[in-house]
Structures are given as structure tokens and as C-alpha cells.
């Protein structure tokens, strides 16, 4: 297995650390024999793959929102909250039932409430996520230590040796952005792809806030960030490295590393050629001296203008006022100076925001920009959400705005969350694109490369795959009065009864002349006379 | 009488055209009192857009119109305003002609009864004269066209206007005595929304009366006529439903249109009683109360038919009112249709008891609906209970109005049989009560 830690100082002064752990499992499910030889691959996940005929699985838990404009592109994008994408084998027939069982099992493995995933927030996109699979985004899962511990348990060395020793929850969760993910997919062992093996990747991306944890000083060390030090390498790891991104520090003017290391490596990551200082943990000599202090000068953030602007960037917000209607605006920025490229926008909106597709407008630079492909699946109340996929060509150096009107529905009183005035979350929209690259991408997949640069394989040299997630939206719905069910039933039934009563009286009674009733004395006298047999008064 | 009618039509069309051109039309077409999920124009456009995208309009839950409506607006979407104004004009003219014919028959029946000395001597002041009945058809057309509810409904392009036109044509063909057309229009009206099915009973009673078939269960001619009418009705309904199937090639529209009307899944606020009731319903009882409320609409047909078998046109009025009040997604367009009939019963004014209270409440509620909606949805200072209270009050006022007219009608019939000035046993003036 391989493990890596990449540390990248960001222009805003924050530190971006990314852990990647990879385990390969040589086995072949297509032969239908019972597999029990797991070696380093976690048994729980292996059983999940074989029982549910899973071909690919991606699950991520994220807290916080990735600020693309300040931090650049992440190595692995993930939306806020929890997201689960699964591709099933072609031989699977009952997809819906398997999906439900799978979400329940995964919520047990990861101690996360994934069992709230049901048909009302699951979509099957046709193009955005290839190969065709079932996906789901649920939002606002607060990622906490219960999610980290089961994630750590899946690592081959657990949290006892190697880089996983640094994963201590207090420091990790005290950060601006925290995302842990598990990706399982089959990979080819060689160029001809005659045999496949299963690859399990676990990634943990954290962005530490300078002001929050730096205590004012401008020195970072592994101990200060994680409050742990590395003790020994993981014995089962074939490679265990720490990469520090020193591209912006070529002359040593921004920061200096201590202890310095002669090992340097270059890799093309996200369309950019970056230089890294490498510390190899499998070599014994590094451990003696690894206090690993980065000294950062105070004026660091003033040079933020040199950062490479991300070529693709997106924002989303809700416009409108009142609780009846609203508009979703998605802004997509193409920052490339002269190239335009197409993006695939995937939007999954819950059913209680009724979208009106005839109000969809896409404008770039003030002019109408008609999407070349639209796939829209309208929602069915309480069954499935809206699914909108569009292929939009973004002109160079422009902002494209997509607007869509919706109407807010009144739900049954039992369908509201316990705090209904907080609002309802709408999942992030996903924008996927092949962005033109300035630096030639490496298309040779079989060569050994650092993990963080090889997640999305590049098919061609001039572009790389980018996926951007927008912010989740918080939308208020009109609420009924929750204290009133009995009162409402009584009052409405009263009105119906008024109608029934009036019509009943008029239908069953007839007009008669009213004779005044005699006084009490006369009535008693009449009763006595009747008993005597004498005619009444 | 053609000239005043033409003038009225011109005025009505002008008012509507002026409002179409103004900025109010956008505002009005969003009002929940005027449009419902069944009749909103925005949803018709959405359905046509879905059709253009290659998706069936019934695959989602936004579009609930019948396939024939899609077919109609596929060609007429650019002339929508003219279509709705024309629908209003057709309704008014149909009601005008129907009421004129009905008045003639009322007067003729009255003449026969007078000659047969069937009225007591002191109730001659209840007898209607042609002079007082002369302007009633014009008043009916005016009540329909110049009713603010109708104007709002037309400007919002709510398809309720089309439904009203079909029902008005049904009433015209029934009163003229044309059995086939009456059955065809009734099946169209039922196809559009299920509730006009209850108008079958008054149509049957009227046509039998006109053809001098006695309404008696033991007579063969009675059953034979019912079989004929039912055959024509069911036949045209079958043809229309099959046409709708062939239009889009699937039966998807049945749950989307009729399942929607009957099971009320969409709880968008409106002026009816269903939305808040089912928003606050305990899940356990939802199906039970749904059945109760839906049966409630159809329930009054048989008792009313038995009581009013001599007066089928009043029965039509009562049925239309019951449908408008108790249907699942009412709008002000439905109300304006039965209110158009009120001038026909203007001779009952001396027996109405609550008319002042009812009209004040209706006016006040109509004014308060937009105010409390704004306070709930936009200002956030009121909550849904305020709007719900006005809904309740509005429906109580409508119920009182209808039952008041029913009382006055029955009372007049009683006086026509027993005399107007009734005396008690001791000779003093009597009071009539319902016992």
C-alpha cells in the first residue's frame, strides 16, 4: 500500500494538507468464488463490494466549503455534507433495493446517518458522472469524530504507524475545511488491462486556518498542526512520503524548511507544473531530524496576486423575496484568456422547490447562450427530485449566468425538520469539465506517480478534468402552524357541518305555522286532563 | 335586446384587454386565490415546454391539465388572451340565451297554473310579470362578465374560464332541450374536472320534464330515458378519453389529472377548505378524511334532486354552488359562475334573511385575502392561521348565501301553495318555522 501527505501553503496564508492512502487488492469477482483472502484491504468494504455488485464507489464527508478563489483547486473536489456515488455492475437487476441496502450498510460502517438517503434525494444522471451510476448528495451532515474513527479503522496500519499517526480528531476538526473520502474502483494492472485489481483510496483534505491555530507565530511544524509527531513508518506500506509544495518558494524567499531535504520531485497537478520537496519515511534517517518546521514570514499574504487563478470557478445563490417564489442563479466563471470550453452542469433540486424549466435562461456576457444538450427529469412529489443536466459552452474570460425560477411548496406538517424556520438545504450543483491546460499533462498511466496527481486519469495532454462544486443553498419554505392540528380539524369540520346542517334542515323539514306553546300551568293541566280522558284546554 | 348585450360584451372585452396590457396581469396570474395548481397558466406553459424538451408533461408533478387542453393550446398559445376573452363571451352569451328560454318557460307554467286556479288568492303579489323578467337575462350576462372575480380569472388566464364556458354551453343545451348536445357537453365538463358529474341529475330531471316523461321509478319511460342519456354521456366520455390516450400515447394523464384532483397531494394555499386541513392532518386519518371530503361534494345530489324535482334549474344552481365551495381546488372563477345566476332569483328578495350579513362578509373577505397573504408570505409578521381563518369565513359566507336562497325559494313555493298571509288558529298573524 502507498501513503502520502501533501502540504501546500496557500496564498491566503492557510495550509492545505492532503492525506492519501492507497491499498490494492488483487482479486477477481467475476469468477464468482467466495473471496476471503483480504490481506490489507478492509474486510468490511470487500464484503460490501462483493455482496452488492458494486463496480465503483465514492463516498465523501465534508465539513466546510472549499473556497476556490482563495485556495485554488483542490486535489479531490467534494461538496459540503455527505455524498455517495455508486456504479453497479451491469449484472445487477434490482437497483433500487440494492441501493437502499447499500446505504444502510455504509451508514453502519461509517457511523453516518446515510440511511436518510432514499429516493427523494437520489438521482441517476445521464452524462455528468461517467460511467452511469446512481448518486446522491445529502447535505449538512456535521462530520465529527464518529466519522473519523471508522475511517481510520479502514487503513492498513490503523492509526498506529505511518502517516495515520498524525490523524488526531481535535486538531483536524478545528479547521476551515475538512473532508474525508473513500474511493473504491477497479484499476488496470498493465497497459492492456487484461486483469484488474481493486483500488481503495482514502483521502483526507484539511485546510488549517493561520489565525485560528497559528497562535500568532509564523512557524508551522507537524507537531503544531496535528499535535502528534511521526514515530515510525507503516511496516506494510511500500511507500510512505511527505511532499511539501515549494513551487512558490524557488529562491527560498517565502519560507524555509527545516530540516532541509535534498530530494526534489516535479509533477503536473491540475494543469500546473509544481515542485515538491520530498521526505521519504521509509528511510530511517529522516526520523531523527523530522521536526519539520516551516518558517513563514509575516508578509506572506501580500504576494497573493501571483497565484494561478483557477480556470473554472462557480457560485450559486437564491434570489427573490417572500416565501412563494424564488430564483436559483448559478454563475460560472471561465478565467482562461482566450480558450472557451464546454462544461456539464448537474443540478439536483428537491421536489418541494418546484422548478419551471420554461424560465431557464443562460446568458454569457449579456447575450443568450443556448445550451447544446439539456436533460431534464421533472420531480414527482415525495418520490424523486428534479434532475437537470446541461452542456454549456463557456466563452473565454467571461461569466455565464444560469437562472431558473421555482415555487416553494407547502408541506404536510410532519414533513418539516424539527427546526423548520432554519430552512431546507439544496445540494451543491456539480460542474464537470475538461479544462485546457497550459502544461502538458502526463497521459502515461502505468508509470509510478504521486497519488495526488493521478486520481482523474488524463486521456489527452492538453486538458485535465476538473469538477467544481457550488455552495449548498438554504431555502425557507412557508410553514403551517405546528401547534394546530386538532384545532384545524375541528374548525374545518365545523364549516362543513354548517353546510351540512343548513341543507339538512331545509331538505328534511317543511314549513309549519308556529303555534305558541301554552304556559307551564296550562301544560300540566292538559296532561292531567289527558289522563282523565277529558279534552284539553 | 341584442344591442344592450353587444354593448355589454364590448365593455367587458375592453376592460379585460386593458388589464391584459397593464402591469397588473403578471401580479394577478400569481395570486393563489385566482389560480390553482389545476388551472394556472404558468403550468400550461411549463407543460408545453416539457413537451418541447421531449419529456412527457405528466412525468413530473407540475402539470395537471387534460391532454385536450395541451392539444388546444399547442395551437393557440400565441392567442391565449383572445381565447380566454372569447371563453368569457361564450359563457355570457350562453347564459343569456339559457335564462331567456327559461324565463319563457317559467312564465308559461305560471300562466297555466293561474288559469287552473292553483294559486291562493292572497299570493297574487308573488306572481311574476314579464315586465320584471325582461331584463333578467341581461343582468345575468352582466353579473358574469363584470364580476371582479371573473375579470381576475380571465386576466390571469386561468383555465377555469374554459371550464365555465363548457358548463354554460351544457346549461344552454339542456334548457333548449337538446339531449345529445347536453350529454356531450356534460361529458366534456366531467372530463375537465370530475365534479360536474353531479349535474347529471338536474339535466335528466329537466329534459324529462320538457319531454313530459313522468319522474316515477315505476314507469318504463323514465328508465328508458335514463338509459338513453347515460349511453350518450358514457359514449362521448369514452371517445374523449380514448382521444386523449392517442394524443400522447400513454395513460399517464389519468393519475396526473384525476388522481391529483381526488387525492389532493399538492397543498398550495387557495380559498378552499382542503389545503390547511390536509397540511395539518394526522397521517393515520388522512385517507379517511380525504374520502369524507370528496364524498361530501357528491353527497347532496340525491337529496336535493328529490326535494327540487319540480325545479331543475334551481337544482343546477345549488349543485354548482356546492361544487364551487367543496371542491378540492376552488378558485374565484368557480364562484363567479354560480353567482351569475343570482339575478334569476331576484324575486326571492323579500324572503332572504341574511343577505346583508353575507354580502358584507364576502366583500370583507375578498379584501382581506391579499392582505393576509402578504403578511404571511412576504412580511412574515402573520402566519398561516390568519389566511386560513379568512378562508373559513369566506366559505361560511358562501354556504350561508346558498342556504339562504334555498330557504327563500322553498318558502315562496310554500306560500304559493298555502297563501301568503297565514293566520294562526286564533286569527293573529302567523310565523312560519321549519319543523
Amino acid at each position: 500500500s502507498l501513503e502520502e501527505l501533501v502540504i501546500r501553503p496557500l496564498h491566503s496564508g492557510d495550509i492545505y494538507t492532503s492525506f492519501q492512502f492507497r491499498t490494492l487488492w488483487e482479486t477477481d469477482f467475476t469468477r464468482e468464488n467466495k473471496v476471503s483472502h483480504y490481506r490489507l484491504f478492509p474486510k468490511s468494504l470487500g464484503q460490501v463490494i462483493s455482496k452488492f455488485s458494486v463496480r465503483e464507489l465514492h463516498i465523501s464527508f465534508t465539513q466546510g466549503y472549499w473556497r476556490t478563489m482563495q485556495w485554488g483547486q483542490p486535489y479531490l473536489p467534494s461538496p459540503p455534507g455527505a455524498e455517495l456515488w455508486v456504479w453497479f455492475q451491469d449484472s445487477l437487476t434490482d437497483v433500487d433495493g440494492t441501493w437502499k441496502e447499500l446505504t444502510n450498510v455504509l451508514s453502519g460502517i461509517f457511523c453516518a446517518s446515510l440511511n436518510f438517503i432514499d429516493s427523494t434525494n437520489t438521482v441517476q444522471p445521464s452524462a455528468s458522472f461517467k460511467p452511469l451510476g446512481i448518486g446522491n448528495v445529502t447535505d449538512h451532515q456535521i462530520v465529527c469524530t464518529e466519522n473519523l474513527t471508522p475511517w481510520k479503522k479502514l487503513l492498513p496500519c490503523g492509526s498506529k504507524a505511518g502517516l495515520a499517526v498524525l490523524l488526531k480528531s481535535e486538531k483536524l476538526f478545528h479547521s476551515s475545511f475538512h473532508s474525508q473520502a473513500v474511493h473504491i474502483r477497479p484499476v488496470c494492472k498493465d497497459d492492456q488491462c487484461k486483469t484488474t485489481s481493486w483500488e481503495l483510496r482514502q483521502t483526507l483534505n484539511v485546510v488549517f486556518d493561520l489565525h485560528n491555530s497559528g497562535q500568532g507565530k509564523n512557524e508551522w511544524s507537524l507537531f503544531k498542526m496535528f499535535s502528534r509527531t511521526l514515530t515510525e513508518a507503516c511496516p506494510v506500506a511500500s511507500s510512505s512520503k511527505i511532499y511539501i509544495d515549494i513551487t512558490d518558494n524557488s529562491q527560498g524567499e517565502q519560507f524555509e524548511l527545516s530540516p532541509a531535504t535534498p530530494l526534489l520531485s516535479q509533477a503536473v497537478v491540475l494543469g500546473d507544473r509544481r515542485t515538491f520537496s520530498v521526505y521519504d519515511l521509509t528511510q530511517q534517517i529522516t526520523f531523527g531530524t523530522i521536526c519539520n518546521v516551516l518558517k513563514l514570514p509575516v508578509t506572506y499574504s501580500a504576494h497573493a496576486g501571483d497565484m494561478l487563478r483557477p480556470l473554472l470557478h462557480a457560485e450559486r445563490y437564491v434570489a427573490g423575496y417572500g416565501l412563494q417564489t424564488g430564483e436559483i442563479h448559478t454563475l460560472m466563471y471561465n478565467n482562461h484568456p482566450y480558450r472557451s470550453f464546454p462544461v456539464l452542469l448537474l443540478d439536483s433540486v428537491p421536489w418541494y422547490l418546484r422548478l419551471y424549466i420554461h424560465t431557464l435562461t443562460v446568458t454569457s456576457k449579456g447575450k443568450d447562450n443556448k445550451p447544446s444538450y439539456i436533460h431534464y427529469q421533472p420531480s414527482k412529489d415525495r418520490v424523486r427530485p428534479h434532475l437537470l443536466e446541461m452542456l454549456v459552452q463557456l466563452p473565454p474570460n467571461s461569466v455565464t449566468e444560469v437562472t431558473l425560477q421555482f415555487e416553494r411548496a407547502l408541506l404536510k406538517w410532519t414533513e418539516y425538520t424539527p427546526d423548520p424556520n432554519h430552512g431546507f438545504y439544496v445540494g451543491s450543483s456539480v460542474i464537470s469539465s475538461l479544462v485546457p491546460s497550459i502544461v502538458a499533462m502526463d497521459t502515461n498511466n502505468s508509470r509510478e506517480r504521486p497519488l495526488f496527481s493521478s486520481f482523474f486519469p488524463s486521456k489527452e495532454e492538453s486538458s485535465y478534468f476538473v469538477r467544481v462544486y457550488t455552495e449548498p443553498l438554504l431555502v425557507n419554505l412557508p410553514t403551517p402552524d405546528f401547534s394546530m392540528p386538532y384545532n384545524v380539524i375541528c374548525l374545518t369540520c365545523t364549516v362543513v357541518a354548517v353546510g351540512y346542517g343548513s341543507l339538512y334542515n331545509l331538505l328534511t323539514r317543511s314549513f309549519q305555522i308556529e303555534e305558541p306553546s301554552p304556559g307551564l300551568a296550562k301544560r300540566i293541566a292538559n296532561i292531567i286532563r289527558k289522563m282523565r280522558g277529558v279534552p284539553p284546554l | 335586446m341584442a344591442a344592450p348585450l353587444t354593448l355589454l360584451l364590448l365593455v367587458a372585452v375592453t376592460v379585460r384587454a386593458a388589464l391584459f396590457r397593464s402591469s397588473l396581469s403578471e401580479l394577478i396570474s400569481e395570486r393563489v386565490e385566482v389560480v390553482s395548481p389545476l388551472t394556472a397558466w404558468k403550468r400550461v406553459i411549463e407543460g408545453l415546454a416539457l413537451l418541447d424538451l421531449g419529456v412527457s408533461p405528466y412525468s413530473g408533478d407540475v402539470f395537471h391539465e387534460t391532454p385536450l387542453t395541451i392539444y388546444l393550446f399547442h395551437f393557440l398559445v400565441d392567442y391565449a388572451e383572445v381565447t380566454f376573452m372569447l371563453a368569457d363571451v361564450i359563457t355570457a352569451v350562453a347564459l343569456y340565451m339559457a335564462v331567456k328560454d327559461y324565463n319563457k318557460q317559467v312564465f308559461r307554467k305560471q300562466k297555466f297554473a293561474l288559469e287552473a286556479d292553483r294559486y291562493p288568492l292572497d299570493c297574487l303579489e308573488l306572481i311574476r310579470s314579464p315586465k320584471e323578467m325582461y331584463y333578467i337575462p341581461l343582468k345575468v350576462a352582466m353579473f358574469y362578465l363584470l364580476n371582479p372575480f371573473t375579470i381576475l380569472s380571465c386576466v390571469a388566464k386561468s383555465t377555469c374560464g374554459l371550464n365555465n364556458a363548457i358548463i354554460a354551453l351544457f346549461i344552454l343545451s339542456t334548457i333548449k332541450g337538446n339531449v345529445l348536445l347536453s350529454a356531450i357537453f356534460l361529458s366534456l365538463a366531467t372530463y375537465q374536472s370530475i365534479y360536474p358529474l353531479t349535474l347529471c341529475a338536474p339535466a335528466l330531471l329537466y329534459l324529462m320534464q320538457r319531454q313530459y316523461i313522468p319522474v316515477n321509478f315505476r314507469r318504463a319511460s323514465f328508465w328508458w330515458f335514463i338509459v338513453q342519456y347515460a349511453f350518450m354521456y358514457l359514449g362521448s366520455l369514452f371517445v374523449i378519453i380514448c382521444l386523449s390516450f392517442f394524443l400522447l400515447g400513454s395513460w399517464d394523464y389519468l393519475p396526473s389529472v384525476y388522481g391529483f384532483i381526488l387525492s389532493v397531494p399538492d397543498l398550495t394555499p387557495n380559498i378552499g377548505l382542503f389545503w390547511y386541513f390536509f397540511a395539518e392532518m394526522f397521517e393515520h386519518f388522512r385517507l379517511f378524511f380525504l374520502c369524507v371530503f370528496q364524498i361530501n361534494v357528491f353527497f347532496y345530489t340525491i337529496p336535493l334532486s328529490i326535494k327540487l324535482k319540480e325545479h331543475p334549474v334551481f337544482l343546477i344552481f345549488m349543485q354548482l354552488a356546492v361544487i364551487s365551495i367543496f371542491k378540492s381546488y376552488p378558485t374565484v372563477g368557480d364562484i363567479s359562475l354560480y353567482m351569475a345566476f343570482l339575478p334569476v332569483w331576484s324575486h326571492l328578495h323579500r324572503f332572504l334573511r341574511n343577505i346583508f350579513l353575507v354580502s358584507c362578509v364576502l366583500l370583507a373577505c375578498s379584501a382581506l385575502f391579499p392582505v393576509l397573504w402578504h403578511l404571511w408570505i412576504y412580511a412574515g409578521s402573520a402566519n398561516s392561521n390568519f389566511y386560513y381563518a379568512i378562508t373559513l369565513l369566506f366559505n361560511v359566507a358562501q354556504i350561508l348565501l346558498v342556504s339562504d336562497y334555498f330557504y327563500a325559494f322553498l318558502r315562496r313555493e310554500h306560500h304559493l301553495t298555502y297563501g301568503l298571509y297565514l293566520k294562526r288558529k286564533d286569527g293573529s298573524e302567523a310565523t312560519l318555522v321549519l319543523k
Side-chain angles (χ1 to χ4, degrees):
Chain A
S1 70
L2 286 146
E3 41 180 53
E4 276 174 13
L5 165 61
V6 183
I7 298 181
R8 186 165 125 191
L10 299 169
H11 273 261
S12 56
D14 305 304
I15 303 270
Y16 173 32
T17 57
S18 173
F19 289 83
Q20 299 228 7
F21 300 89
R22 189 181 83 162
T23 311
L24 282 177
W25 188 22
E26 323 280 331
T27 182
D28 192 2
F29 283 120
T30 55
R31 277 180 299 152
E32 287 286 339
N33 49 354
K34 283 276 171 216
V35 188
S36 55
H37 192 56
Y38 289 97
R39 273 201 86 227
L40 298 172
F41 200 88
K43 185 171 171 190
S44 48
L45 289 180
Q47 285 175 329
V48 162
I49 299 174
S50 61
K51 184 161 183 255
F52 296 110
S53 311
V54 168
R55 195 167 63 187
E56 239 181 271
L57 184 144
H58 301 268
I59 187 166
S60 72
F61 300 95
T62 311
Q63 185 191 17
Y65 175 64
W66 182 269
R67 292 167 216 290
T68 316
M69 288 307 278
Q70 289 154 320
W71 300 341
Q73 294 278 7
Y75 296 129
L76 277 175
S78 54
E83 190 191 45
L84 171 64
W85 292 99
V86 177
W87 280 258
F88 290 103
Q89 307 277 8
D90 294 326
S91 54
L92 186 68
T93 45
D94 178 20
V95 172
D96 290 327
T98 314
W99 172 252
K100 198 161 166 52
E101 280 179 44
L102 179 65
T103 51
N104 277 312
V105 166
L106 287 173
S107 73
I109 294 178
F110 291 104
C111 298
S113 54
L114 294 171
N115 46 0
F116 284 121
I117 295 178
D118 56 10
S119 65
T120 61
N121 45 24
T122 306
V123 295
Q124 276 183 317
S126 66
S128 290
F129 285 78
K130 282 191 180 316
L132 180 64
I134 296 189
N136 152 271
V137 181
T138 58
D139 273 290
H140 205 64
Q141 288 269 352
I142 307 284
V143 179
C144 55
T145 47
E146 281 94 57
N147 296 116
L148 185 61
T149 318
W151 187 88
K152 280 199 281 186
K153 273 204 280 201
L154 298 171
L155 296 171
C157 278
S159 44
K160 298 195 185 58
L163 287 171
V165 160
L166 295 173
L167 302 176
K168 194 161 190 305
S169 20
E170 295 111 42
K171 279 294 188 179
L172 283 179
F173 288 99
H174 197 58
S175 56
S176 312
F177 176 84
H178 173 104
S179 166
Q180 65 202 44
V182 172
H183 307 275
I184 302 175
R185 60 180 181 177
V187 291
C188 301
K189 275 197 268 208
D190 50 12
D191 275 339
Q192 280 81 25
C193 228
K194 281 204 223 64
T195 45
T196 59
S197 51
W198 290 96
E199 177 194 71
L200 166 69
R201 274 202 204 214
Q202 288 176 261
T203 61
L204 183 71
N205 294 326
V206 188
V207 175
F208 288 104
D209 191 352
L210 175 74
H211 301 289
N212 227 351
S213 350
Q215 294 129 11
K217 289 206 201 127
N218 46 18
E219 276 183 7
W220 286 88
S221 71
L222 281 181
F223 183 76
K224 282 220 180 86
M225 281 197 287
F226 301 107
S227 69
R228 290 286 184 89
T229 47
L230 292 166
T231 48
E232 53 168 339
C234 182
V236 293
S238 57
S239 150
S240 182
K241 296 200 170 90
I242 297 183
Y243 293 82
I244 317 258
D245 190 333
I246 57 168
T247 322
D248 300 320
N249 194 33
S250 40
Q251 268 82 45
E253 72 271 7
Q254 301 270 4
F255 55 83
E256 65 179 82
L257 291 174
S258 155
T261 170
L263 286 172
L264 287 177
S265 123
Q266 285 215 330
V268 180
V269 181
L270 299 170
D272 197 17
R273 188 169 291 280
R274 318 285 296 177
T275 317
F276 298 90
S277 288
V278 184
Y279 294 85
D280 193 341
L281 293 176
T282 50
Q283 310 198 332
Q284 202 54 32
I285 47 169
T286 31
F287 281 103
T289 53
I290 200 155
C291 33
N292 215 344
V293 180
L294 291 130
K295 290 210 185 70
L296 293 161
V298 180
T299 54
Y300 191 74
S301 50
H303 297 281
D306 294 318
M307 181 182 80
L308 180 72
R309 279 214 304 174
L311 288 178
L312 179 63
H313 171 54
E315 282 172 358
R316 197 168 67 148
Y317 59 90
V318 170
Y321 64 97
L323 293 173
Q324 190 176 4
T325 53
E327 258 183 29
I328 299 182
H329 291 245
T330 310
L331 296 168
M332 295 186 284
Y333 297 86
N334 177 359
N335 293 324
H336 200 284
Y338 52 85
R339 289 279 300 273
S340 73
F341 50 86
V343 299
L344 198 56
L345 171 65
L346 170 72
D347 238 327
S348 167
V349 178
W351 65 266
Y352 39 83
L353 302 183
R354 299 176 208 272
L355 296 181
Y356 285 94
I357 199 71
H358 71 272
T359 57
L360 175 71
T361 60
V362 183
T363 46
S364 307
K365 292 184 181 167
K367 282 188 300 192
D368 214 19
N369 180 1
K370 203 160 140 41
S372 49
Y373 167 74
I374 299 184
H375 171 239
Y376 177 63
Q377 192 189 45
S379 68
K380 265 214 151 339
D381 274 9
R382 301 181 179 93
V383 171
R384 59 166 198 248
H386 297 275
L387 177 67
L388 175 64
E389 282 185 271
M390 287 196 298
L391 188 68
V392 183
Q393 188 82 5
L394 301 184
N397 212 13
S398 68
V399 182
T400 305
E401 181 165 6
V402 178
T403 58
L404 196 51
Q405 278 181 19
F406 64 87
E407 222 176 60
R408 302 170 204 231
L410 185 74
L411 306 176
K412 299 186 204 173
W413 69 301
T414 49
E415 290 175 348
Y416 286 88
T417 54
D419 184 9
N421 292 305
H422 180 66
F424 285 76
Y425 283 98
V426 178
S428 316
S429 24
V430 187
I431 297 164
S432 329
S433 167
L434 279 175
V435 174
S437 160
I438 302 166
V439 175
M441 302 296 292
D442 192 352
T443 53
N444 189 349
N445 286 325
S446 58
R447 215 160 55 96
E448 279 297 313
R449 281 191 293 165
L451 286 175
F452 58 88
S453 64
S454 68
F455 189 72
F456 292 114
S458 315
K459 300 259 173 47
E460 47 181 288
E461 293 187 356
S462 59
S463 58
Y464 60 98
F465 181 75
V466 162
R467 180 170 288 153
V468 178
Y469 289 92
T470 61
E471 304 98 320
L473 299 174
L474 188 59
V475 175
N476 264 331
L477 292 181
T479 58
D481 190 344
F482 297 97
S483 60
M484 294 271 288
Y486 186 67
N487 301 347
V488 166
I489 295 175
C490 285
L491 288 169
T492 311
C493 290
T494 305
V495 171
V496 174
V498 164
Y500 175 81
S502 333
L503 288 180
Y504 175 84
N505 273 343
L506 289 165
L507 287 168
T508 52
R509 298 183 188 195
S510 57
F511 288 99
Q512 291 170 21
I513 296 177
E514 186 190 18
E515 298 291 337
S517 56
L520 185 62
K522 263 201 178 160
R523 269 190 281 166
I524 298 176
N526 277 341
I527 293 170
I528 300 173
R529 288 174 92 110
K530 208 164 45 176
M531 287 197 302
R532 278 170 59 193
V534 171
L537 291 167
Chain B
M1 282 292 275
L5 182 64
T6 323
L7 185 64
L8 176 66
L9 292 177
L10 276 173
V11 169
V13 168
T14 314
V15 169
R16 285 162 172 76
L19 280 173
F20 269 130
R21 291 281 162 264
S22 73
S23 62
L24 285 175
S25 63
E26 278 286 324
L27 198 69
I28 292 174
S29 54
E30 301 237 312
R31 299 264 8 134
V32 286
E33 297 91 11
V34 185
V35 297
S36 69
L38 278 176
T39 59
W41 179 246
K42 197 170 178 190
R43 293 185 183 230
V44 174
I45 299 283
E46 177 70 8
L48 292 172
L50 283 174
L51 209 58
D52 284 337
L53 271 179
V55 179
S56 162
Y58 300 109
S59 59
D61 251 340
V62 155
F63 185 74
H64 301 286
E65 299 278 356
T66 55
L68 285 186
T69 317
I70 305 182
Y71 196 62
L72 178 75
F73 284 113
H74 192 62
F75 299 113
L76 291 179
V77 67
D78 295 323
Y79 306 106
E81 299 171 356
V82 174
T83 313
F84 285 103
M85 284 200 277
L86 197 63
D88 270 1
V89 163
I90 289 176
T91 314
V93 171
L95 287 176
Y96 176 89
M97 286 166 39
V99 173
K100 212 161 158 191
D101 209 292
Y102 172 64
N103 279 347
K104 280 200 206 123
Q105 288 174 22
V106 163
F107 193 64
R108 201 174 53 199
K109 247 207 277 193
Q110 197 175 254
K111 207 164 76 152
F112 289 151
L114 270 177
E115 284 169 8
D117 256 345
R118 265 196 248 143
Y119 295 142
L121 282 170
D122 59 354
C123 69
L124 287 173
E125 58 192 78
L126 291 179
I127 304 293
R128 306 173 67 183
S129 65
K131 191 157 168 245
E132 89 181 56
M133 297 194 339
Y134 186 66
Y135 280 110
I136 287 180
L138 188 65
K139 281 193 208 163
V140 166
M142 195 163 69
F143 258 55
Y144 184 74
L145 282 175
L146 299 181
N147 192 347
F149 290 157
T150 326
I151 297 178
L152 284 176
S153 196
C154 182
V155 174
K157 294 195 273 236
S158 159
T159 55
C160 188
L162 299 177
N163 294 352
N164 285 354
I166 296 174
I167 295 179
L169 286 170
F170 154 75
I171 294 175
L172 175 63
S173 51
T174 309
I175 290 187
K176 290 282 189 194
N178 190 332
V179 182
L180 180 65
L181 274 182
S182 163
I184 292 176
F185 281 121
L186 186 63
S187 63
L188 258 180
T190 312
Y191 167 75
Q192 283 286 106
S193 65
I194 307 175
Y195 300 107
L197 179 62
T198 57
L199 293 173
C200 225
L204 280 170
L205 285 171
Y206 186 89
L207 290 166
M208 282 199 270
Q209 221 181 48
R210 205 180 155 94
Q211 296 189 355
Y212 303 110
I213 300 173
V215 179
N216 192 339
F217 287 131
R218 272 165 272 197
R219 296 292 200 99
S221 50
F222 171 77
W223 291 111
W224 177 236
F225 185 77
I226 289 187
V227 165
Q228 278 180 309
Y229 193 82
F231 178 73
M232 284 190 266
Y233 172 73
L234 290 171
S236 32
L237 195 61
F238 180 72
V239 167
I240 293 171
I241 290 196
C242 287
L243 259 179
S244 314
F245 170 72
F246 287 122
L247 211 62
L248 283 174
S250 73
W251 295 108
D252 276 347
Y253 74 96
L254 287 175
S256 239
V257 181
Y258 304 115
F260 183 79
I261 296 177
L262 290 175
S263 66
V264 191
D266 187 332
L267 299 171
T268 314
N270 50 54
I271 57 174
L273 297 166
F274 277 66
W275 64 279
Y276 207 52
F277 189 70
F278 288 105
E280 299 269 15
M281 174 55 59
F282 299 106
E283 259 333 284
H284 188 64
F285 294 107
R286 196 187 141 80
L287 186 61
F288 169 70
F289 277 106
L290 192 63
C291 296
V292 166
F293 270 49
Q294 295 290 3
I295 290 173
N296 189 40
V297 185
F298 295 96
F299 177 70
Y300 297 105
T301 311
I302 309 264
L304 279 175
S305 318
I306 294 173
K307 185 85 179 182
L308 291 172
K309 62 178 183 262
E310 309 291 330
H311 314 282
V313 177
F314 191 77
L315 181 58
I316 291 181
F317 165 71
M318 288 292 295
Q319 283 292 9
L320 283 175
V322 162
I323 293 172
S324 308
I325 299 170
F326 292 117
K327 71 192 280 197
S328 45
Y329 292 101
T331 62
V332 292
D334 301 307
I335 295 173
S336 62
L337 184 63
Y338 80 79
M339 279 199 178
F341 276 95
L342 294 181
V344 184
W345 326 114
S346 54
H347 58 279
L348 299 171
H349 70 275
R350 60 186 294 167
F351 299 117
L352 292 171
R353 296 180 296 174
N354 301 324
I355 200 67
F356 176 67
L357 179 71
V358 163
S359 41
C360 285
V361 172
L362 283 175
L363 278 172
C365 286
S366 314
L368 281 174
F369 268 124
V371 171
L372 290 170
W373 178 257
H374 178 88
L375 282 181
W376 172 26
I377 298 288
Y378 294 102
S381 52
N383 67 8
S384 49
N385 290 334
F386 293 72
Y387 193 78
Y388 166 66
I390 299 298
T391 304
L392 285 181
L393 206 54
F394 192 69
N395 284 304
V396 166
Q398 282 186 74
I399 291 172
L400 280 180
L401 174 73
V402 168
S403 61
D404 210 17
Y405 267 91
F406 194 24
Y407 171 87
F409 191 84
L410 290 177
R411 181 142 168 195
R412 180 174 174 268
E413 293 303 311
H414 184 266
H415 282 306
L416 282 178
T417 325
Y418 295 103
L420 188 53
Y421 298 105
L422 299 164
K423 300 261 191 302
R424 276 192 233 147
K425 286 194 192 137
D426 52 7
S428 62
E429 194 171 326
T431 45
L432 270 185
V433 290
L434 281 172
K435 274 219 194 22

